[in-house]
Amino acid sequence: MPAPERIPPRSVTADPHAAELLARGELSVRGRIREASNAALFCTVALDGREATCVYKPVAGERPLWDFPDGTLAGREVASYEVSEATGWGLVPPTVLRDGPYGEGMCQLWIEVGADAELLALVDGEEPEPGWKAIGFADVGEGRTALLVHADDERLRRLAVLDAVINNADRKGGHLLPTPDGRLYGIDHGVTFNVEDKLRTLLWGWAGEPLTAEAVEVLGGLRATLAEGGELAARLAGLITPSELDATRARVDALLASGRHPEPGGEWPAIPWPPV
């Protein structure tokens, strides 16, 4: 029997059948990602002679949270992917909800990260250099502070808009995955879609600035497909609650009404901890 064809990550992310491979393929656990706060298993998935690596997060391994219903994080990860796909930006790796060796869970394509992309930095001085956006000052020890900055990168700016829509409460630096082919993906979207404003992110560099024309167009498209009877609304209906779907619509409406990137609200920590 011939060995399955190995599909490089950069190819399978652009493959329209990637979700089918994840959803229907034979899932084999190869190890555990120990630094993850919830159970996250490194796996391979194989179907019809094709194979890829992926992450499988079973619902049974989710750690209870006081502000999110138990057993809902996997569905929120899939919902984030669905919204990302609806934007056309492709910022979240292919993600599905499926049964696996430890029960139902989220299955997401594994992304190989490029080594040469610098998206975050600590710098001296009060203002960022050209090409960078300020996040805030960080304690670096011995009574010293440094300015934490992120790249002024259109890929990050798109991700900042997506995070505002899905109400991402945990956009850390370690969740940013630049690839060798120049793409950027965001991962770990379990704490999203809360009805309350919980946006916590390192991507505050555009706070209060006007949205790009591209972002306004994308948000207009989201508004249409999130409406009652819209395709995205139907996809999200089985993944988040009706009140969370309504809150998502309201966030899109608010972004379009203001025409600007959101600013920290003050009632919730603006930056996740640890930030990386």
Side-chain angles (χ1 to χ4, degrees), residues 58-244:
V59 171
E62 293 180 3
R63 178 170 54 90
L65 299 173
W66 67 269
D67 52 348
F68 286 86
D70 292 350
T72 66
L73 304 190
R76 296 171 194 278
E77 296 243 29
V78 179
S80 299
Y81 166 68
E82 294 290 355
V83 175
S84 168
E85 288 299 283
T87 66
W89 286 335
L91 295 168
V92 178
T95 311
V96 302
L97 196 64
R98 61 162 292 168
D99 194 30
Y102 299 100
E104 185 179 59
M106 178 278 280
C107 189
Q108 183 176 83
L109 190 73
W110 180 267
I111 299 297
E112 297 293 343
V113 179
D116 56 350
E118 188 176 16
L119 301 175
L120 298 167
L122 284 168
V123 298
D124 293 325
E126 301 289 322
E127 298 290 337
E129 295 290 332
W132 295 89
K133 289 285 189 176
I135 303 168
F137 289 96
D139 183 357
V140 294
E142 299 180 354
R144 295 179 56 248
T145 60
L147 184 64
L148 181 61
V149 297
H150 66 69
D152 187 4
D153 185 309
E154 69 172 6
R155 300 170 302 172
L156 290 180
R157 191 164 190 171
R158 289 169 175 169
L159 195 58
V161 174
L162 175 67
D163 284 342
V165 171
I166 66 176
N167 197 16
N168 192 352
D170 196 32
R171 176 61 71 206
K172 297 177 180 177
H175 300 167
L176 305 174
L177 304 183
T179 65
D181 61 355
R183 301 214 41 187
L184 176 72
Y185 294 97
I187 61 168
D188 284 350
H189 297 106
V191 286
T192 50
F193 294 101
N194 202 295
V195 172
E196 298 180 8
D197 180 13
K198 291 183 179 290
L199 183 60
R200 292 196 304 173
T201 177
L202 288 178
L203 304 180
W204 287 117
W206 298 282
E209 292 188 15
L211 295 166
T212 65
E214 177 195 50
V216 171
E217 181 179 358
V218 164
L219 289 167
L222 284 181
R223 172 188 274 170
T225 194
L226 281 168
E228 293 286 347
E231 182 177 349
L232 181 57
R235 289 179 178 273
L236 296 184
L239 300 168
I240 58 177
T241 67
S243 60
E244 289 167 344

